Amino acid sequence: MIDARLDEAPRAGPVPRLELESWRAAYGLVAGVTGRGAGFNLGLFSDEPRAQVTARWEALFGEMRPGFRGFAVGRQVHARRLATHGPTLAGWQVLDGVDGHLTAHPGVLLFVTVADCVPIYLAHPDSGAVALLHAGWRGIAAGMLETGVSALCDLTKSVESAIVMHCGVAICGTCYEVGSEVHAAVRHVAEPARGPLDLRAELLARAGRLGIRQATASGWCTAHHRDRFFSHRASGGVDGRMVAYLGRPLS
Ligand SMILES: [Zn+2]
């Protein structure tokens, strides 16, 4: 079904994170996002000393082993370039200029960095192949969702109706006021002035047009729930970064 709400649930443990329990139960996939915690910034390209940030990543990897042995991250540029990861990926790989990842293999955990932008989780449950995309307004306008869905269909030799989608923790429509040029770029409609933009609603509408039959959106808002999440917009640009993650664990 399109437009059903599906909230990530907090998990206990040293690393602050929330997960889609139903994706684990129904598809055998690990799909989640880290939280703010007591300053659990995972932004690799922030002002914070890299060693501190790296130590947090290592703590997260520690919680994900032994189900995963390869960890794929991109230095994101708000475009739509994707990287496809094979079964031999091991350790931590950081790729330049990549905003989305795909894999058909278990043991590979995909990451995107977020703090208002939407993490788009895509899965082909029949094969276990997954894709994880980073999409703010620029990425949506550039066709990130369409590119990612097409790539996952190619990878699985499947069709859009066999793919399931979730739009994760992101800024909500109420909290995200943007100018007319952003509305024009994302929605292809002329707005006379500034107004709120719901990125996840736009993505769900696009998913429906693509032929995806099952798409959901998180009810969590990064700006409404700043006690749990980082928000670039609500912090005036000084907050840290969370990561969304998606993969099929080794059995
Ligand atoms: Zn909000």
Side-chain angles (χ1 to χ4, degrees):
M1 68 191 94
I2 293 284
D3 205 14
R5 179 169 159 176
L6 183 63
D7 291 346
E8 296 80 359
R11 286 178 69 87
V15 172
R17 56 194 176 99
L18 300 86
E19 285 190 359
L20 288 178
E21 290 168 347
S22 63
W23 276 43
R24 190 186 282 264
Y27 311 134
L29 298 175
V30 173
V33 64
T34 60
R36 174 184 205 98
F40 203 81
N41 171 39
L42 292 168
L44 286 170
F45 311 104
S46 66
D47 293 336
E48 199 176 355
R50 176 126 176 166
Q52 285 180 25
V53 177
T54 301
R56 294 184 197 118
W57 277 94
E58 290 295 344
L60 177 58
F61 296 156
E63 291 197 5
M64 295 302 174
R65 295 186 187 106
F68 297 95
R69 59 191 175 203
F71 305 99
V73 187
R75 181 168 189 159
Q76 298 164 179
V77 294
H78 295 278
R80 57 171 189 176
R81 194 169 140 228
L82 309 176
T84 303
H85 303 281
T88 57
L89 180 68
W92 191 10
Q93 185 167 42
V94 182
L95 297 167
D96 230 17
V98 168
D99 278 73
H101 305 267
L102 298 92
T103 189
H105 301 280
V108 177
L109 193 59
L110 312 176
F111 291 95
V112 295
T113 305
V114 288
D116 290 342
C117 289
V118 185
I120 305 173
Y121 304 76
L122 299 173
H124 179 248
D126 292 346
S127 67
V130 291
L132 183 62
L133 316 173
H134 162 253
W137 75 263
R138 286 186 183 83
I140 295 172
M144 176 48 112
L145 175 65
E146 292 78 2
T147 301
V149 169
S150 173
L152 189 57
C153 286
D154 288 347
L155 186 68
T156 58
K157 298 182 172 50
S158 182
V159 293
E160 287 81 356
S161 59
I163 288 173
V164 298
M165 166 176 159
H166 177 69
C167 298
V169 173
I171 197 163
C172 82
T174 306
C175 294
Y176 193 52
E177 188 169 299
V178 296
S180 57
E181 74 286 359
V182 175
H183 282 279
V186 171
R187 298 168 56 225
H188 308 297
V189 295
E191 292 274 331
R194 298 179 67 83
L197 175 63
D198 187 333
L199 296 172
R200 290 178 290 200
E202 171 62 23
L203 287 164
L204 290 172
R206 286 175 179 243
R209 292 197 289 271
L210 287 172
I212 294 177
R213 292 196 195 127
Q214 191 179 330
T216 55
S218 171
W220 293 109
C221 167
T222 45
H224 268 95
H225 306 113
R226 284 197 66 205
D227 55 325
R228 275 182 195 281
F229 305 112
F230 292 121
S231 172
H232 185 75
R233 169 67 70 100
S235 69
V238 301
D239 249 353
R241 293 289 182 277
M242 309 171 294
V243 293
Y245 51 87
L246 175 63
R248 180 162 49 112
L250 295 161
S251 52

